[in-house]
Amino acid sequence: MYDALLMMKEAPKFEVMLPVLLRKPGLWRKVLLGGLLSFLPLVNFLAFGYLLQVCRDCRRHGVVVLPEWSGWKGLLLDGLRFAAAWLLYWLVPVLLAELLAGLLDSVGLGVLGYFLQVAALLGGSLLLCAGLYRFQRRSSLRDLLDVLLIFRMARGLFPAALVAVLAASGLAAICWPLYGLAFFFSLLPLIVYTTLYFRWIEEAAVSRDI
């Protein structure tokens, strides 16, 4: 029933997608494994790879898909690709925002710097999702260098993905003492939702052309 709702011509809604995700068989086992792997340096690339595979499978099928944990070599390779997108579209914006926030604080504009950092965290998460979606279409790292297109893709998520990115940030804050779980569990629903939303945009564009 719920998967069928996500295949409608209307734009996917986070509040519809989330119950689908929470009712997926084996969800908590997969989340727990991903969270545990995310704690360990180098091994965490396997968790990164799983998130990229989630993006790929959701785009391919157009519904919420949680693949099984298998194909460890493939997960590792996908994890390295995920890391490239994460470094470029999440870490770089966040570090730049912290640098600018420090400069603003030095001139008595610390409050403005705080809001800049929050914006970077939220915007960086959407940029990451846009970068992942762009990358997995052809599995070419060159696609990650199409910065302007990825920025336009991320901008196209507003305001639809606002609830999703705020929910992801809230989950990360709640789970932060267990930072591995916080990373994995907060990104999973955001990646699923944004992937389905980008897929809907593509299908809507094709329908208009027809």
Side-chain angles (χ1 to χ4, degrees):
M1 171 184 175
Y2 289 94
D3 282 357
L5 288 175
L6 289 179
M7 297 180 69
M8 294 174 63
K9 293 184 179 180
E10 296 181 358
K13 294 180 174 60
F14 183 74
E15 60 269 24
V16 175
M17 181 281 301
L18 188 59
V20 180
L21 180 63
L22 295 177
R23 292 174 180 171
K24 280 292 177 181
L27 167 69
W28 300 113
R29 170 176 53 84
K30 295 170 183 177
V31 166
L32 181 59
L33 180 55
L36 290 174
L37 292 175
S38 296
F39 276 105
L40 306 173
L42 299 181
V43 177
N44 57 6
F45 284 105
L46 295 172
F48 298 169
Y50 183 84
L51 290 173
L52 182 57
Q53 288 193 4
V54 168
C55 178
R56 183 181 297 126
D57 287 354
C58 287
R59 179 182 181 272
R60 180 181 297 127
H61 299 289
V63 295
V64 179
V65 178
L66 289 181
E68 291 297 328
W69 283 89
S70 60
W72 298 100
K73 181 179 179 180
L75 286 175
L76 180 60
L77 293 175
D78 278 339
L80 294 172
R81 295 162 182 147
F82 179 99
W86 179 80
L87 287 170
L88 183 58
Y89 290 107
W90 192 89
L91 187 60
V92 169
V94 169
L95 291 179
L96 287 176
E98 287 187 2
L99 177 62
L100 290 173
L103 294 174
L104 289 170
D105 187 56
S106 67
V107 295
L109 296 174
V111 174
L112 183 59
Y114 170 78
F115 284 109
L116 180 63
Q117 288 178 297
V118 172
L121 287 169
L122 299 179
S125 298
L126 295 182
L127 281 170
L128 170 61
C129 292
L132 293 176
Y133 192 85
R134 176 64 179 166
F135 165 77
Q136 56 81 39
R137 293 186 63 191
R138 297 188 304 177
S139 296
S140 172
L141 289 174
R142 289 185 178 181
D143 287 338
L144 287 178
L145 300 179
D146 199 344
V147 177
L148 291 180
L149 174 60
I150 289 172
F151 266 79
R152 289 198 299 270
M153 290 173 64
R155 185 181 62 188
L157 290 170
F158 280 103
L162 183 59
V163 173
V165 74
L166 289 175
S169 300
L171 277 174
I174 292 171
C175 300
W176 187 246
L178 303 174
Y179 64 88
L181 184 62
F183 174 86
F184 190 86
F185 191 35
S186 63
L187 274 181
L188 180 62
L190 183 61
I191 289 173
V192 171
Y193 175 72
T194 55
T195 298
L196 293 175
Y197 194 86
F198 283 131
R199 156 105 183 206
W200 171 78
I201 291 175
E202 287 184 340
E203 291 182 343
V206 171
S207 298
R208 285 197 299 270
D209 291 340
I210 294 174

